[in-house]
Amino acid sequence: MEKLLDTLGERIDPAHTAMLVVDVQNDFCAPGGYIDAAMGRDVSGAVPVADAIARLLRAARNAGVPAIWVKAVYDFDYLSAPMLTKIREMGLEHAVCCAEGSWGADWFRIRPEEGEPEIVKHRYSAFVGTPLEAMLRRRGIRTLVITGVATNICIDSTLRDAFLRDYYVVVPAECVGSANRALHEATLQNVNFLFGDLTGGEEIAGLWAQAGAG
């Protein structure tokens, strides 16, 4: 049995931690993107979320914590029948979210540095149909600091899959966001209740800085 990691500092030790950046893309975050134009939802909260992720990325890079970027590509040819059925029920079959190679699929305000891996997903969870888990196992990762959008959909799906695959889950509250505030808060409460650590980016950055100085 692996050693239990009893403190947040132990759990986010740079030696076995990775940072996921999930779906910080124009279609989810930018004015004129899919969530704004096709769904009519307020995306104004995406800017502070992206900026908070940028700050945490600097701390991760300084501490040697790998950043793994997860990008949605939701062309209809890639989607499952249940996903397509829900899209049709919502009357959204006229638009494609994060179409492959489009402006909507590109990163919003932040982007990978050279050498940081990008993983493409066609489901809400970053683990389904992707090489993410194999990549994490090869690197000896035990903890995931999960950031991005939307809290109640792709972040929720990814963190639950991570927990069920025996990873420690850490969510910095200001580094995730959703156009649905109530469901955003519900996911954060579930993380705090059962699935991992709900904390702040500054606390994580501080612990990473201490680890680097030690």
Side-chain angles (χ1 to χ4, degrees):
M1 181 178 177
E2 289 184 299
K3 179 183 180 297
L4 299 183
L5 305 178
D6 293 323
T7 68
L8 179 61
E10 290 177 311
R11 288 191 283 278
I12 64 167
D13 186 328
H16 59 235
T17 299
M19 179 175 169
L20 294 190
V21 183
V22 179
D23 293 0
V24 185
Q25 296 164 258
N26 288 322
D27 262 351
F28 296 120
C29 300
Y34 183 90
I35 298 299
D36 172 45
M39 299 191 71
R41 301 293 180 86
D42 179 14
V43 296
S44 61
V47 170
V49 170
D51 290 351
I53 294 171
R55 292 190 294 271
L56 191 56
L57 277 167
R58 288 193 291 271
R61 290 160 177 158
N62 288 337
V65 173
I68 300 173
W69 296 71
V70 181
K71 174 183 285 191
V73 171
Y74 289 159
D75 297 74
F76 292 163
D77 287 347
Y78 292 127
L79 302 187
S80 67
M83 291 175 75
L84 289 169
T85 298
K86 293 303 292 186
I87 288 169
R88 187 171 60 185
E89 286 176 359
M90 291 187 288
L92 295 172
E93 64 268 29
H94 63 284
V96 175
C97 181
C98 297
E100 194 164 23
S102 69
W103 168 85
D106 199 8
W107 302 108
F108 173 76
R109 293 181 72 86
I110 55 177
R111 61 183 54 252
E113 290 190 347
E114 185 176 357
E116 293 177 344
E118 297 182 51
I119 289 174
V120 172
K121 67 179 177 66
H122 306 304
R123 300 294 184 269
Y124 299 134
S125 170
F127 284 92
V128 175
T130 77
L132 177 59
E133 186 167 15
M135 182 183 296
L136 298 174
R137 298 298 182 197
R138 285 197 306 271
R139 293 170 178 247
I141 299 300
R142 297 190 64 187
T143 299
L144 294 177
V145 175
I146 301 178
T147 69
V149 298
T151 315
N152 53 302
I153 303 174
C154 294
I155 298 299
D156 194 301
S157 299
T158 297
L159 72 86
R160 287 172 185 256
D161 274 359
F163 180 82
L164 294 173
R165 286 167 168 79
D166 304 330
Y167 294 97
Y168 288 95
V169 170
V170 179
V171 177
E174 76 276 25
C175 294
V176 294
S178 172
N180 188 317
R181 189 69 188 178
L183 295 181
H184 164 85
E185 292 293 343
T187 292
L188 295 186
Q189 290 177 34
N190 276 331
V191 171
N192 196 43
F193 170 58
L194 200 59
F195 293 115
D197 291 289
L198 179 64
T199 184
E202 287 189 7
E203 182 175 6
I204 294 170
L207 289 167
W208 282 343
Q210 289 177 24

